[in-house]
Amino acid sequence: MAERISDAEHAVMEVLWDEAPLTAQDVSERIPAGRDWSANTVKTLLGRLLAKNIIAHEEDGRRYLYRPLVARGDYVAGESRKLMDRLFGGKLMPLVAHLAERDELSASDIAEIEALLKGLKA
């Protein structure tokens, strides 16, 4: 995915990743209430995502149904890789060390990481 997704566009994508296809009105109704967006704002964001080729739409009578072209897992993997490349020279260990040094890892986080590493070794 060459184009970046803004925070606002990401909110729309989260709705579409949870359930698709949806109309613009459906998306608007599912955006968290704290955003306080109008239907026109959502339609603008859908238009931007269409232009970036991140979503697609198909006609359904007089309305459009929108669906993601990029899977959530693929997006997360790409963004994670960009973060590691930009801030940690593409290496995972400095990221984990940074989180651990800042006390951002709880005991359960550490246990999960240990279990994951055990599983990877097996």
Side-chain angles (χ1 to χ4, degrees), residues 13 16-17 19-23 27 46 49-50 53-58 64-70:
M13 288 303 296
L16 291 173
W17 282 323
E19 183 182 354
L22 293 172
T23 66
V27 173
L46 288 167
L49 291 165
L50 281 167
N53 206 31
I54 295 169
I55 64 171
H57 69 290
E58 59 191 55
Y64 289 107
L65 294 174
Y66 298 90
R67 63 180 172 76
L69 292 175
V70 175

Side-chain angles (χ1 to χ4, degrees), residues 39-61:
N40 285 337
T41 299
V42 172
K43 287 178 184 176
T44 297
L45 293 168
L46 288 167
R48 289 180 189 169
L49 291 165
L50 281 167
K52 292 178 179 182
N53 206 31
I54 295 169
I55 64 171
H57 69 290
E58 59 191 55
E59 286 188 44
D60 182 43

Side-chain angles (χ1 to χ4, degrees), residues 11-120:
V12 171
M13 288 303 296
E14 284 295 338
V15 170
L16 291 173
W17 282 323
D18 284 342
E19 183 182 354
L22 293 172
T23 66
Q25 184 62 40
D26 293 335
V27 173
S28 183
E29 291 169 359
R30 287 166 174 78
I31 293 289
R35 295 267 185 186
D36 200 29
W37 288 345
S38 69
N40 285 337
T41 299
V42 172
K43 287 178 184 176
T44 297
L45 293 168
L46 288 167
R48 289 180 189 169
L49 291 165
L50 281 167
K52 292 178 179 182
N53 206 31
I54 295 169
I55 64 171
H57 69 290
E58 59 191 55
E59 286 188 44
D60 182 43
R62 295 180 47 193
R63 61 190 187 161
Y64 289 107
L65 294 174
Y66 298 90
R67 63 180 172 76
L69 292 175
V70 175
R72 179 188 276 132
D74 292 339
Y75 174 73
V76 168
E79 289 298 302
S80 299
R81 171 56 53 197
K82 289 176 193 173
L83 174 73
M84 281 188 353
D85 289 347
R86 188 175 68 244
L87 298 179
F88 300 98
K91 298 187 187 313
L92 178 61
M93 197 55 224
L95 169 61
V96 174
H98 171 77
L99 293 173
E101 289 166 2
R102 298 256 182 203
D103 294 324
E104 297 292 329
L105 295 177
S106 68
S108 66
D109 290 333
I110 293 168
E112 286 182 41
I113 291 169
E114 288 172 339
L116 175 65
L117 292 174
K118 256 187 188 175
L120 291 173

